[in-house]
Amino acid sequence: MAAINGGSNILDPSNAARSTLKLENTEKRDTLITIEKRYQRRWQESGVFNARAPTTAEIPSGSLSKDLHRRHPKYFGSFAFPYMNGTLHAGHSFTASKVEYAAGFARMQGKRVLFPLGYHCTGMPIKACADKLTEDVRKFGKNFENYKEEELVDGEDNVPAPTQAETKEDITKFTSKKSKAAAKTVKLKYQFQIMIALGIPKEEIHKFADANYWLEYFPPLCKRDLNNFGARIDWRRSFTTTDANPYYDTFVRWQMHRLKELDKIQYGSRYTIYSPKDGQPCMDHDRTEGEGVGPQEYTALKLKVKEWAPQAAEALQGKIPDSANVYFVPATLRPETMYGQTCCFVGPDIRYGVFKVSEIEYFVVTKRAAWNMAFQNILYKDSDFPRNADELTPVLELTGQSVVGTLVNAPLSVHTEGVRILPMETVSPTKGTGVVTSVPSDSPDDYATVTDLAKKAEYYGIKREWAELEILPIVETPSYGNLTAPFLVKKMKINSPKDSKLLADAKDLAYKEGYFKGTMLVGDFKGEAVEAAKPKVKAQLLQNGDAFEYAEPSGHVVSRSADECVVAYLGQWFLNYGENDPTWRDQVLDYVRNGLETYSSETKNGFEKNLEWLNRWACARTYGLGSKLPWEPKFLVESLSDSTIYMAYYTIAHLLHSDVFGTKPGLVSIQPSQMTDEVWDYIFCHREINDSLLQSSGISKADLETMRREFEYWYPLDQRVSGKDLIPNHLTFCLYIHTALFPREHWPRAVRANGHLMLNGEKMSKSTGNFLTLNDAVTKYGADATRIALADAGDGVEDANFEEAVANQIILRMYTLKEWCEDILKDRTLRTDPSSASDTLWDKLFLNEMCTLVHQAHAHYMATDYKVALKSALYDFTSARDVYREACLAASIPMSQRHVHTYITLQALLITPIAPHWADYIYQEVLEFKTTIQNALWPEMPQPDPSLTAIYEYFRTTSSAITSAEGQQIKRKQKGKATNYDLELPKRLTIYIATSFPSWQTKYIDLVQSFHAKASLEDKALNAEVGRMGESKKAMPFVQSLKRRLQNGENANDVFERKLPFEEVEVLGQMLRGLRKTVGKCKGVEIVAVEGEEEKKVGRIVKCEGEGVGKVDEERALLGAAEMAVPGAPTFFFENV
C-alpha cells in the first residue's frame, strides 16, 4: 500500500481536511448528534416528507392548476441534482440548505411541500474515469500491486496570473468565470490514486472500471449524507439519469422528439469545442478545465509572401514547389481596421510550421493553430479528422527570428507595395495563430511596438524604415480622434511594449470606443459606423479569397479524458438557442425581466447577459453515458440537454418506479414501454384522453389522470436553487426548454443563484487541507450546528463563508439552550399566574418582544434572507429571554411560567426551518407535544404594541448607557486616568428626565414630517438635509429616534407632536430596583425631573429608592448632565455618598 500511496499524503482522504478546526471535548456535540439520529429515524420511518397531491377523488380531474393551488397551497423546490462521481461536499450542502430552509418554512405555512432529488450520471465524467481505471488495472493489476512509486504533483493553487495575451478581446461576448472543477482539481496521475484520495477502499477500486458501478455506489452515499443532514427530501421520487433507468429514458426521448418537431433542435455545421481523442464535441460538463469556455471566432487573413528573408529562403529551398503560394496567417477580431496594416509581427523565439493546405497553398502558423485548423475543413476534411497531433506534420519548421524581414502583401492595406514581418516579444504562442498583423493607428500594443522597433532598429536587427511606414487614420472616434492608439499611448504615458497592464487597459478603451462609437474613414464603407461596417469588411475579405474563418477555444479546455480540446467545424445536432431563433430567445428574455423571481439584480443581469450571448448548443455526443438520440441512436443526448426539465419528471417518478433504476414498479403498474410520447404529451401538455391513447398505451384512464394530477398540482417549480456558475448553461437552458414545451403557467417561478462556499474565509481546497465534505461537516459538528452555520454563511450571490468557529460555538449554544429549557420547566419557583391580568411590566415587554421577533423572522423567511432570519429566530430571541430573565432577577420577581412556556414553544417553532432536530426534540420531549414539529404551523401572534416596543427599547438603551458609562470609568482607572468619582466608595445614581422638548427640535420634526408625507425616509437624502441645517451633532440622533419610532409602528401624530407612548417616570420607577443591583456599590437612585423654560430650569425629585437619596418633590441643583436630557432620552450622573 505504501507504494500505491506514492509516499504522499495527497492520497490520504483525511488530508483534504488537515487544516480545518480540530475539536477536543465532544461530549455536548455527541449528545446533540444522538438526538439528531433519533429524529432522523423517526422522520424516515413515518414518511413525513413524502409529498402527495390531492387525489382526483378529492378534487375531480379537469380542475385548473390555479384552483388546485388555491384550495391546497404547495411549494415545490429543488436544487441541481449532484453528479455521481463522488460524495457531496460542503458547497453542495450550502446550495441544498436554501431549498431545505424554504421547504421547512413552507410546511409551517400549511403548504404541501415537495423537495425531491435525483442523481445525475449522464455525460463523459463517469465513463472517462471508468476507462482510465480499466487501463490502470491493465497496467498495475487488480489491486494495483504492480504500481511503482512515483512523485505526485499537487498543483492546484499554483495558477499563474493571466498575461496580456490571455485577456478578453471580444467585447461583444459574455463570458463566465472558470469552473468549480478547474478550481478544485488535485493533480494525481492515475485514476486509482484519485479513488484512494476519495476514500474508496483499495480492494473495491477495480469495480469502478465498470461505469455502471458508479451509479450503484455513489447514490446511496448521497442519500446517507443528506439524511444525516436532516434534509426534508421525498426519496420515493429519486432516479438515475441515462438509459440505466428506462422510464427516465423515455422521458428524455419524448422531449428530444418534441423539440425537434418544434424546430428547436436542428442539424447543421457550426463551431464547437471538440475533443480529438474522444472524437466528439466536449460540452461544459464533459470538462475538467474550461467550463463556460466557448469558440472564439476570428477572421484569418492571408498575407502572401512576396520576398523571403534570406535565412528563411535558404531553409525553404526545395521544400515547396516554386509555383506554390505561402501565406502568413494572422487572426484578427477587427477586420474593419485592416486598411491600416503597416507590418506583421511574429514572436522571435516561437517555432512556426509551414503547413500544406493544397498543392499550391501553404500557411505559416503555430502548430497549435494548425491543430485547430485541422478540424475546420482547412487542413483536413471533416470525414478525415486526425485523432493524434502526431498526424499533423509541417513541411518545415522555422523560428520567428528567421522570417523577420520577409515582405508580404497585406490585404486591404493602403501600403500596397507590401509590409514586413517584424519581431514582437509579447506575441503569445497559445493565442490565435502566433502571427499578429499590426494596425498602429488603432491598436495601442502595435503602436507601442513599432515605436520601440523604430527606436532600436539595430538592436532588433531590422531596417528602421520597415517600422516607420506611414500610420494613416482608419477610424474616427469622438473621444480619441482619428488616431486612437497614438492618442491613448501618449495620454496614458505608456513608454514600452512591456507596460502590459497599461496596454491592456488602453486596448480595452480603444476597442470599445472604436466598435461602439467609431466611423470608418477609408474603404468601400467609408462614413459607416464601425459596428455596421465590420461584418461587411469581413464578408468582402472572405469573398475575395483574402481571408477565411478560423476559431479556437477562448480559453484552455481539457476534457474528462485529459485531452486538450480544439474548436471543430462539423455537422451536429444542436439546440437552436440564441440569435438564430430570436423569437424564442426574446420570449425567455422577457420572462426573465417580467416574470421570473431572481432575488437579486446580479442574477437577473447574469441571465440577461447570457441570453444576449448564448448561441447554438451541441446536444449530442458519441461517448459517455446517457439516453440515445431517438432518430440517430449512434448519438447520446448531451448531459446539459437531458437535464433541463427533469423537475417535471420528479412529479410522477414515484408513480412509475420505486427504485432509482426503474426495476421495481411504483404506485401505478406501468411498464417503460407504455410511456410513449403520446402519454407524456397527455401528462404534460394538456392532451385529451381518447380511446386511441388508452388502447395504444394500455394504461388505464385512472392511472393517466393520477399522473397528470401529480404534474399539474406540483408544477410550476416554485424555486430552483443553484450555484451562480450554472447561469451560463443549465439555468438558462432550463428556462429555454420550459418555454418551448410548456405553457407559461408551468414555467419556473423563481431561480435563486448563490455564490460558492468558502471555508474559514478561504477557498475550499483539498491541497491546502481546507476542505470539508458534507459527511465531514455533519460528523464533526452535527446536523443542526452545520445547518445553522450554513444559514449564518450568507444569502447573496457573492461567495459565502462557512465559519467552523461559528459551528463549534453553535454546539455550545444549542446544548446550553436545551439544558435550560429542560431545567426551567421543572423550576418550582416560577410564577404560576393564571392570566395576563397579573402580568408585570417585564412580562408584557417580554411577550411583546417575542411577538416582534416572530413577525420579523416570518418576514425574513418569506424573503429567503436566512442569515437575518436566523438572527431574529435564534440570536435575538434568546437575547429577549436573557433580558427578561435579568430584569426579573434584578426586580426580585420570579419569571412567569406561562411566558417561559410560550418562549420555549416559540423558540422551537421559529428555528424549525433551520434546526429541525433540536426543535423537534424540544417540541416532543420537553414540551410533550404528541406530533412532530415538522407538521406544526407557524405561530400566529398579535402585532406588537408600539408603546411596549418603545418601552422595551427605552429600557434597553437606558440600561446599556448607564452600565457603559460605569464601564468607561473602570477603564479609565485601569489606565491610571482620573475618574469622576471614587470607584471604591458607595455612590448614588441620579437620572435626569426632561418634561419638555427643546425648541431647536421643532424644525427637525418639520423636516422628518415632510419626508414621511412623501413616504420616503431614505437615509441618504434625509441625512444630507440634516447636514445642511448645520446642527448635525445633536440633531442626527434626534432625527434617527423619530425615524425609528415611525418604523416601529407608532402613531405618526404622536411622534410629530412629541408625545412619548409611555410614562417615562413610571417606566424608570420600575427600573429602579434593577439599576441598584446592576450598578456597582450603588446605595441609592434618584429620578430628577428637569422642569421650566430654557433659562429657568429647575430639578425636582420624582422617584427615589435606597440610601443617601432625597425626598420626592425635593428640589435638586441641576448639574451639566441635566442640560442634555430630553423626553425619552434621559441623562445621568454618578457621585459618591
Side-chain angles (χ1 to χ4, degrees):
M1 186 66 179
I4 292 174
N5 284 348
S8 171
N9 63 1
I10 294 175
L11 298 182
D12 181 355
S14 65
N15 180 62
R18 68 183 183 276
S19 299
T20 60
L21 186 67
K22 302 296 184 290
L23 302 187
E24 295 179 358
N25 187 347
T26 63
E27 181 183 352
K28 294 180 176 62
R29 178 204 66 184
D30 295 343
T31 299
L32 294 175
I33 288 179
T34 299
I35 291 171
E36 290 169 354
K37 296 301 181 189
R38 182 160 71 246
Y39 281 88
Q40 287 165 6
R41 284 193 300 272
R42 290 185 185 181
W43 298 336
Q44 293 305 315
E45 290 168 1
S46 67
V48 68
F49 306 134
N50 292 348
R52 182 182 66 83
T55 66
T56 53
E58 293 174 278
I59 299 178
S61 175
S63 300
L64 296 175
S65 292
K66 62 181 181 181
D67 294 331
L68 283 171
H69 299 156
R70 178 177 51 80
R71 295 175 63 178
H72 297 281
K74 60 91 182 180
Y75 168 83
F76 176 16
S78 72
F79 71 100
F81 49 17
Y83 198 77
M84 289 295 101
N85 60 346
T87 56
L88 305 186
H89 55 68
H92 287 112
S93 58
F94 179 62
T95 300
S97 71
K98 304 305 180 186
V99 187
E100 180 55 27
Y101 305 147
F105 181 62
R107 294 179 70 92
M108 301 190 77
Q109 293 175 288
K111 298 178 180 179
R112 300 190 187 199
V113 171
L114 174 57
F115 178 12
L117 187 69
Y119 307 110
H120 199 198
C121 309
T122 307
M124 282 183 56
I126 290 173
K127 177 63 174 166
C129 291
D131 288 351
K132 290 178 186 176
L133 278 175
T134 299
E135 180 63 16
D136 288 353
V137 171
R138 186 191 67 78
K139 280 184 178 180
F140 306 123
K142 180 177 177 181
N143 292 318
F144 316 103
E145 59 274 7
N146 299 322
Y147 173 73
K148 304 299 182 185
E149 182 173 325
E150 298 178 30
E151 182 179 353
L152 299 177
V153 178
D154 178 10
E156 176 188 75
D157 298 309
N158 300 317
V159 180
T163 66
Q164 180 183 334
E166 294 169 323
T167 56
K168 178 180 173 185
E169 288 190 8
D170 192 341
I171 59 171
T172 65
K173 288 193 174 184
F174 168 77
T175 56
S176 62
K177 295 183 179 179
K178 69 176 182 176
S179 70
K180 291 184 284 186
K184 297 177 181 176
T185 301
V186 177
K187 295 182 179 178
L188 300 174
K189 185 172 182 179
Y190 296 107
Q191 184 64 38
F192 81 86
Q193 295 170 326
I194 296 172
M195 306 302 282
I196 292 172
L198 285 174
I200 309 296
K202 180 190 66 171
E203 59 276 6
E204 286 192 41
I205 292 176
H206 70 276
K207 298 177 183 177
F208 289 87
D210 176 2
N212 290 319
Y213 187 70
W214 297 67
L215 281 60
E216 298 171 7
Y217 186 86
F218 284 111
L221 297 183
C222 174
K223 181 177 180 179
R224 175 204 70 187
D225 292 348
L226 285 166
N227 277 339
N228 290 341
F229 184 63
R232 300 173 173 91
I233 292 173
D234 182 352
W235 292 109
R236 301 172 306 151
R237 299 171 188 260
S238 298
F239 58 87
T240 59
T241 63
T242 78
D243 53 10
N245 184 318
Y247 293 96
Y248 187 76
D249 187 56
T250 67
F251 169 70
V252 172
R253 286 191 281 113
W254 163 77
Q255 60 183 282
M256 302 308 285
H257 268 141
R258 293 299 176 251
L259 289 168
K260 185 171 183 288
E261 290 168 4
L262 292 166
D263 206 29
K264 304 304 182 186
I265 292 179
Q266 300 177 356
Y267 186 86
S269 294
R270 60 185 291 273
Y271 290 115
T272 189
I273 304 295
Y274 183 87
S275 167
K277 180 179 178 181
D278 301 327
Q280 66 174 11
C282 183
M283 310 313 287
D284 274 3
H285 283 187
D286 301 328
R287 306 172 187 176
T288 57
E289 293 183 52
E291 187 175 328
V293 172
Q296 174 64 69
E297 298 180 29
Y298 294 92
T299 302
L301 292 173
K302 297 166 67 175
L303 276 61
K304 181 180 176 181
V305 175
K306 301 178 71 172
E307 175 190 306
W308 282 104
Q311 186 178 348
E314 183 180 348
L316 280 162
Q317 190 69 36
K319 298 288 176 45
I320 59 175
D322 292 339
S323 61
N325 294 319
V326 182
Y327 299 90
F328 282 79
V329 183
T332 181
L333 291 167
R334 304 194 65 187
E336 75 282 2
T337 66
M338 293 302 100
Y339 301 101
Q341 295 175 85
T342 64
C343 64
C344 180
F345 295 128
V346 294
D349 298 323
I350 295 174
R351 296 195 68 80
Y352 294 87
V354 181
F355 293 92
K356 182 179 179 180
V357 181
S358 69
E359 294 300 327
I360 59 171
E361 198 169 48
Y362 293 79
F363 289 168
V364 179
V365 293
T366 60
K367 186 167 184 178
R368 173 188 167 278
W371 186 232
N372 273 274
M373 290 179 185
F375 300 90
Q376 297 172 27
N377 299 326
I378 299 170
L379 301 183
Y380 291 80
K381 297 305 177 185
D382 57 5
S383 60
D384 192 30
F385 283 169
R387 297 294 288 264
N388 188 297
D390 293 339
E391 298 177 38
L392 181 67
T393 305
V395 173
L396 179 70
E397 284 194 345
L398 298 166
T399 65
Q401 188 61 50
S402 71
V403 300
V404 169
T406 297
L407 183 68
V408 296
N409 178 63
L412 294 185
S413 174
V414 295
H415 297 290
T416 55
E417 69 282 3
V419 300
R420 297 286 176 172
I421 303 292
L422 299 180
M424 184 183 198
E425 293 179 350
T426 56
V427 171
S428 170
T430 60
K431 188 175 182 68
T433 62
V435 180
V436 181
T437 192
S438 172
V439 184
S441 59
D442 290 84
S443 169
D445 289 282
D446 297 352
Y447 180 75
T449 299
V450 295
T451 302
D452 189 59
L453 288 171
K455 288 179 181 177
K456 304 174 184 176
E458 186 175 348
Y459 171 80
Y460 287 110
I462 65 170
K463 293 182 180 180
R464 181 168 180 169
E465 58 266 27
W466 293 350
E468 290 188 326
L469 294 188
E470 185 180 1
I471 300 173
L472 297 174
I474 304 300
V475 174
E476 179 74 41
T477 66
S479 301
Y480 311 132
N482 59 20
L483 290 172
T484 294
F487 179 92
L488 285 170
V489 167
K490 292 169 186 174
K491 179 182 178 182
M492 298 174 71
K493 299 180 180 179
I494 298 171
N495 300 314
S496 163
K498 296 180 181 179
D499 291 340
S500 57
K501 175 63 173 65
L502 288 174
L503 282 169
D505 292 342
K507 178 169 69 173
D508 189 51
L509 292 171
Y511 196 173
K512 287 180 179 177
E513 179 80 7
Y515 181 77
F516 291 113
K517 299 179 181 179
T519 303
M520 298 298 297
L521 295 176
V522 298
D524 292 347
F525 310 104
K526 180 180 178 180
E528 293 191 23
V530 166
E531 192 170 359
K534 178 177 179 176
K536 296 177 182 178
V537 176
K538 178 179 178 179
Q540 189 179 69
L541 285 164
L542 297 175
Q543 184 177 357
N544 293 338
D546 291 327
F548 59 92
E549 292 180 316
Y550 164 73
E552 64 184 29
S554 60
H556 189 59
V557 180
V558 178
S559 74
R560 296 280 181 178
S561 58
D563 186 34
E564 184 170 348
C565 293
V566 297
V567 166
Y569 186 77
L570 71 166
Q572 57 187 289
W573 292 103
F574 57 82
L575 279 153
N576 197 29
Y577 300 139
E579 61 187 14
N580 296 291
D581 190 340
T583 302
W584 192 16
R585 179 198 60 196
D586 293 346
Q587 183 183 42
V588 179
L589 192 56
D590 176 70
Y591 187 62
V592 167
R593 290 171 173 164
N594 302 307
L596 184 70
E597 171 61 68
T598 59
Y599 302 99
S600 72
S601 59
E602 293 92 338
T603 299
K604 179 173 286 188
N605 291 340
F607 274 120
E608 290 175 345
K609 289 179 181 178
N610 193 51
L611 285 163
E612 292 165 1
W613 163 83
L614 181 68
N615 213 322
R616 293 168 170 172
W617 185 269
C619 61
R621 67 160 72 78
T622 58
Y623 175 80
L625 303 179
S627 295
K628 291 180 175 62
L629 199 64
W631 56 89
E632 199 165 354
K634 70 177 183 180
F635 290 112
L636 298 171
V637 179
E638 179 264 338
S639 65
L640 280 166
S641 301
D642 83 335
S643 58
T644 54
I645 58 167
Y646 65 87
M647 314 87 189
Y649 188 80
Y650 281 138
T651 65
I652 64 166
H654 65 303
L655 300 177
L656 299 177
H657 50 81
S658 58
D659 70 318
V660 297
F661 295 108
T663 61
K664 300 175 183 177
L667 299 180
V668 297
S669 184
I670 296 174
Q671 296 301 310
S673 59
Q674 295 176 274
M675 295 302 295
T676 62
D677 287 353
E678 291 71 27
V679 170
W680 289 111
D681 285 341
Y682 169 77
I683 297 168
F684 295 146
C685 302
H686 300 300
R687 175 174 174 166
E688 294 304 317
I689 288 182
N690 55 40
D691 292 340
S692 174
L693 177 62
L694 294 172
Q695 185 175 354
S696 63
S697 69
I699 302 174
S700 71
K701 180 179 180 181
D703 287 346
L704 286 169
E705 289 179 341
T706 296
M707 289 190 287
R708 178 186 273 190
R709 166 53 55 82
E710 285 281 339
F711 170 72
E712 292 190 340
Y713 177 69
W714 291 115
Y715 246 56
L717 181 68
D718 293 289
Q719 185 183 54
R720 178 68 167 175
V721 180
S722 294
K724 61 185 177 184
D725 55 300
L726 294 186
I727 293 174
N729 44 63
H730 165 69
L731 291 174
T732 302
F733 299 173
C734 173
L735 297 179
Y736 259 117
I737 305 304
H738 271 90
T739 60
L741 295 180
F742 299 117
R744 187 182 179 104
E745 66 190 75
H746 290 326
W747 298 354
R749 286 177 174 167
V751 172
R752 181 194 178 106
N754 54 258
H756 298 152
L757 185 69
M758 295 191 295
L759 181 61
N760 302 321
E762 298 179 0
K763 184 187 78 173
M764 278 211 294
S765 162
K766 290 182 179 179
S767 68
T768 62
N770 192 53
F771 188 86
L772 284 179
T773 66
L774 173 55
N775 185 56
D776 290 338
V778 171
T779 301
K780 192 171 187 178
Y781 299 108
D784 281 341
T786 299
R787 293 167 66 107
I788 291 171
L790 286 170
D792 190 69
D795 292 301
V797 294
E798 66 278 359
D799 289 351
N801 181 37
F802 182 91
E803 195 66 57
E804 286 192 279
V806 171
N808 194 31
Q809 292 163 8
I810 288 297
I811 293 172
L812 177 60
R813 175 184 283 270
M814 301 311 288
Y815 180 85
T816 304
L817 186 56
K818 175 189 80 73
E819 295 281 289
W820 183 85
C821 292
E822 291 168 343
D823 294 341
I824 197 67
L825 291 182
K826 301 172 187 174
D827 190 340
R828 301 302 179 190
T829 66
L830 295 179
R831 278 185 290 121
T832 56
D833 43 339
S835 70
S836 59
S838 56
D839 279 356
T840 66
L841 174 63
W842 312 119
D843 296 332
K844 294 175 182 176
L845 293 180
F846 183 38
L847 181 59
N848 190 72
E849 182 64 7
M850 287 193 288
C851 290
T852 298
L853 293 172
V854 167
H855 288 287
Q856 282 183 6
H858 186 276
H860 296 321
Y861 278 127
M862 283 289 291
T864 72
D865 292 331
Y866 300 114
K867 185 178 179 73
V868 286
L870 176 67
K871 180 177 182 294
S872 297
L874 180 63
Y875 300 132
D876 290 349
F877 213 70
T878 53
S879 177
R881 177 210 61 178
D882 294 341
V883 170
Y884 175 60
R885 181 173 56 181
E886 291 160 10
C888 289
L889 181 65
S892 300
I893 303 171
M895 291 187 292
S896 164
Q897 185 183 64
R898 181 163 42 85
H899 290 314
V900 165
H901 193 279
T902 298
Y903 162 77
I904 296 173
T905 304
L906 291 175
Q907 179 63 92
L909 291 168
L910 264 60
I911 203 63
T912 293
I914 297 175
H917 309 83
W918 186 93
D920 214 358
Y921 169 79
I922 296 296
Y923 196 72
Q924 292 196 61
E925 298 188 40
V926 177
L927 295 171
E928 299 181 352
F929 284 95
K930 301 303 181 185
T931 58
T932 175
I933 205 168
Q934 297 282 11
N935 291 330
L937 297 179
W938 188 263
E940 292 187 9
M941 300 293 285
Q943 288 294 326
D945 183 333
S947 64
L948 289 173
T949 300
I951 293 173
Y952 188 77
E953 183 174 342
Y954 178 87
F955 164 68
R956 294 195 66 178
T957 55
T958 302
S959 300
S960 176
I962 291 171
T963 54
S964 295
E966 185 180 33
Q968 287 297 321
Q969 295 299 312
I970 294 172
K971 288 180 180 179
R972 289 182 64 85
K973 182 177 181 180
Q974 290 171 344
K975 293 179 180 180
K977 296 181 179 181
T979 58
N980 295 339
Y981 54 90
D982 191 329
L983 301 181
E984 302 301 322
L985 297 177
K987 60 178 176 284
R988 179 177 67 211
L989 168 63
T990 301
I991 301 174
Y992 297 107
I993 62 170
T995 57
S996 61
F997 290 89
S999 58
W1000 64 265
Q1001 292 182 350
T1002 302
K1003 59 183 178 182
Y1004 294 101
I1005 289 177
D1006 294 340
L1007 174 67
V1008 175
Q1009 194 166 13
S1010 68
F1011 271 79
H1012 184 259
K1014 294 182 288 187
S1016 172
L1017 287 174
E1018 195 267 321
D1019 271 339
K1020 189 174 181 181
L1022 182 60
N1023 293 350
E1025 193 62 35
V1026 172
R1028 279 193 289 271
M1029 295 170 73
E1031 299 172 296
S1032 295
K1033 189 171 182 180
K1034 65 178 180 179
M1036 199 66 78
F1038 173 66
V1039 168
Q1040 290 300 320
S1041 70
L1042 294 177
K1043 182 179 171 183
R1044 257 193 321 273
R1045 290 176 63 187
L1046 291 167
Q1047 291 172 336
N1048 286 338
E1050 285 188 44
N1051 183 279
N1053 290 332
D1054 290 344
V1055 173
F1056 294 131
E1057 290 174 12
R1058 290 186 283 189
K1059 292 180 180 178
L1060 292 182
F1062 57 88
E1063 291 294 332
E1064 188 171 12
V1065 173
E1066 294 304 317
V1067 172
L1068 278 172
Q1070 295 277 350
M1071 294 172 59
L1072 286 181
R1073 183 174 296 179
L1075 288 171
R1076 279 189 64 197
K1077 288 188 176 182
T1078 54
V1079 174
K1081 298 185 181 296
C1082 183
K1083 290 293 184 179
V1085 182
E1086 291 182 345
I1087 302 173
V1088 175
V1090 180
E1091 302 171 336
E1093 300 297 328
E1094 293 285 341
E1095 304 299 326
K1096 301 178 182 178
K1097 289 183 178 179
V1098 295
R1100 180 175 61 85
I1101 298 174
V1102 291
K1103 292 272 186 181
C1104 55
E1105 181 172 304
E1107 303 173 19
V1109 298
K1111 296 179 181 179
V1112 173
D1113 289 334
E1114 181 180 333
E1115 288 194 3
R1116 281 286 189 215
L1118 296 178
L1119 301 175
E1123 293 296 322
M1124 298 300 294
V1126 294
T1131 55
F1132 48 87
F1133 178 73
F1134 294 111
E1135 60 183 328
N1136 293 118
V1137 292

